[in-house]
Amino acid sequence: MRKHPLSPTAPPAPAPRITYSTVLGSPYVARLLGGTLTGRLPNGMAPVAILLWATTSGSSIAFGGLLSALYGLSSSVVQPVKGRLMDRHGQTAVHLPAAMLNAALLVALPLTGPYGGPGLATAIVVAGGMTTPSLEAGLRTLWPSVLPDARLRHAALALDTGTQGLLYIVGPLLVAALASAYNPTVALTVTAVLGLAGTTVVVLAPPSRRWRPTPSADTKRGAARRLTSPGLALLFLSLTGIGFAIGAMNVWSIAMAEHHQQDMLSGIIPAAFSTGSFLGGLVYGQRTWSRTTADRLIIASAAFLAGWLPLAVLPAPFAATSAVAVPGAFLTVVVACAYVTTDVLAPAGRTSEAYAWLILSIGVGQSAGTALAGRLAEQPLASAALPAAGAAFALAVLLAARRQLHPAGHRPRGLHRRPLRGRHKTP
């Protein structure tokens, strides 16, 4: 007997396949994503523009490198503060003033040559880094309100995460082109304009203007819940290993370029890594996954580690460039799953701050990886092994934290406590 198509025993129809055209066609998604990417281009442009401006103004490369590093470090350190402010006052009240100050400081930096000297230049660069808008954390906070469908959010987060690497390919190339065609001052001005324009597009979008954090029950009673739960603390600790691998890879690529006397390798290898990240995000976001987010995070971290291992054999330039695309492809999966896990574990009303701590964790690890790799740059084997060491640390922490990464009531198999027998009292 044939079952009626509407019979309750008939198998459910498969869910429609998610495509990126569906995601980008959803209200406000393309605007928010495009505005955020434009507003974050200065993250990839400003450090290079500052370095070029310093060297062409008569300062040493060492001083220019210091200014560039200070800009990135000061931008990372204040992320949690800006996240906390967004959770309290909304996004527009934080993003727009920050973008205006950041743009003004970048435009003012060239004036320090004849009028202020190194001290004023350093102060302006640090202040400029501290006032970079926290667009990345803000966008991740908006996705639940913009895309109520969890599968669409999954794809949007993967697309968002995967495209981040493009900022560090397009940004430096754009600065180099502007500095070559005009001068570094023009590059700094364009950097400021792009940052302000992109931020304005985001803050004027209704989802950003209307967004307010959802207060938890504890917040309503006046008691703030702890942000640093064991699960979140271990997750953020693991992400320092991910950032360490990226920072070490950047220095290793420079060492490769010097060893093989091919200057382009210092840019080609990070570009291959970022391209792998972009392509990995595109593939990941269109799949439906049966495993839990925490399990996917651990599996992707293991693949991220495996991708670095071929570097230990000191491959030739072409092989090395191809090899780094593999860990790049899994980086997007790791970061996307980390954001979802953070969203699950963070207390209501403090998600922006939690996302900011996530970003800071990766940034701190990246700085540490860069510093240590710089000291070991003359030792080829040690330099090549550092990215794998950072990835191994991240995986070890995640494995130790596997139980804490699952929300309450969703513990992984094999970790359930057995019910205690003999405890029931007889009536």
Side-chain angles (χ1 to χ4, degrees):
M1 179 178 179
R2 177 179 295 179
K3 294 179 180 179
H4 192 276
L6 298 180
S7 169
T9 59
R17 183 171 178 268
I18 294 295
T19 64
Y20 286 115
S21 60
T22 304
V23 175
L24 294 173
S26 301
Y28 304 114
V29 169
R31 176 176 177 176
L32 290 171
L33 183 58
T36 297
L37 290 175
T38 303
R40 291 185 61 228
L41 259 179
N43 293 359
M45 296 177 66
V48 180
I50 291 169
L51 175 60
L52 291 177
W53 167 79
T55 54
T56 56
S57 299
S59 299
S60 66
I61 295 179
F63 180 68
L66 174 63
L67 290 181
S68 180
L70 285 174
Y71 185 88
L73 183 61
S74 59
S75 175
S76 297
V77 167
V78 297
Q79 285 282 343
V81 176
K82 286 181 280 190
R84 188 72 177 270
L85 290 173
M86 280 193 290
D87 283 335
R88 289 185 175 183
H89 305 292
Q91 294 193 358
T92 303
V94 179
H95 283 339
L96 195 54
M100 294 173 67
L101 282 171
N102 178 262
L105 289 165
L106 289 176
V107 171
L109 181 60
L111 301 178
T112 62
Y115 298 110
L120 181 58
T122 302
I124 288 178
V125 165
V126 171
M130 295 178 67
T131 54
T132 53
S134 191
L135 294 173
E136 182 180 356
L139 180 62
R140 307 288 163 75
T141 307
L142 291 177
W143 285 139
S145 62
V146 176
L147 296 169
D149 187 322
R151 294 188 308 140
L152 288 175
R153 284 202 307 275
H154 170 87
L157 185 57
L159 181 62
D160 167 18
T161 305
T163 52
Q164 286 186 50
L166 298 179
L167 300 176
Y168 300 96
I169 299 174
V170 175
L173 289 176
L174 182 57
V175 168
L178 290 169
S180 176
Y182 302 98
N183 54 63
T185 299
V186 172
L188 280 169
T189 302
V190 173
T191 300
V193 170
L194 286 174
L196 183 58
T199 304
T200 302
V201 169
V202 172
V203 299
L204 293 182
S208 180
R209 286 190 289 108
R210 294 194 297 253
W211 182 85
R212 292 295 182 274
T214 304
S216 64
D218 292 336
T219 303
K220 292 177 180 178
R221 292 194 296 266
R225 288 182 59 191
R226 288 189 311 156
L227 179 62
T228 53
S229 66
L232 276 178
L234 289 170
L235 174 64
F236 296 158
L237 179 62
S238 73
L239 292 174
T240 62
I242 300 297
F244 184 95
I246 299 171
M249 182 267 301
N250 288 331
V251 177
W252 170 78
S253 66
I254 297 174
M256 281 282 291
E258 293 180 351
H259 178 72
H260 293 279
Q261 297 182 347
Q262 298 180 26
D263 293 341
M264 289 297 294
L265 281 177
S266 61
I268 291 175
I269 290 177
F273 179 82
S274 298
T275 302
S277 177
F278 175 66
L279 296 177
L282 292 181
V283 173
Y284 173 73
Q286 290 190 306
R287 293 285 304 276
T288 300
W289 305 93
S290 57
R291 291 182 176 271
T292 65
T293 302
D295 287 341
R296 295 200 303 270
L297 174 60
I298 293 173
I299 293 170
S301 297
F304 183 73
L305 167 59
W308 292 116
L309 296 180
L311 301 188
V313 301
L314 304 179
F318 178 79
T321 302
S322 303
V324 298
V326 176
F330 288 99
L331 173 67
T332 297
V333 185
V334 171
V335 175
C337 291
Y339 269 104
V340 175
T341 303
T342 300
D343 183 60
V344 171
L345 298 179
R350 298 186 69 177
T351 52
S352 298
E353 184 183 357
Y355 292 155
W357 277 107
L358 188 158
I359 297 167
L360 175 60
S361 299
I362 297 176
V364 168
Q366 191 166 347
S367 298
T370 300
L372 184 56
R375 287 184 169 271
L376 300 177
E378 296 182 359
Q379 303 178 32
L381 183 58
S383 179
L386 281 179
F393 173 81
L395 178 60
V397 174
L398 289 173
L399 288 172
R402 183 169 179 252
R403 181 180 177 84
Q404 286 79 16
L405 295 178
H406 290 78
H410 294 84
R411 300 300 184 193
R413 292 181 181 178
L415 296 179
H416 295 288
R417 292 182 178 178
R418 294 184 178 181
L420 298 176
R421 305 191 179 204
R423 293 286 186 90
H424 300 285
K425 295 182 180 179
T426 56

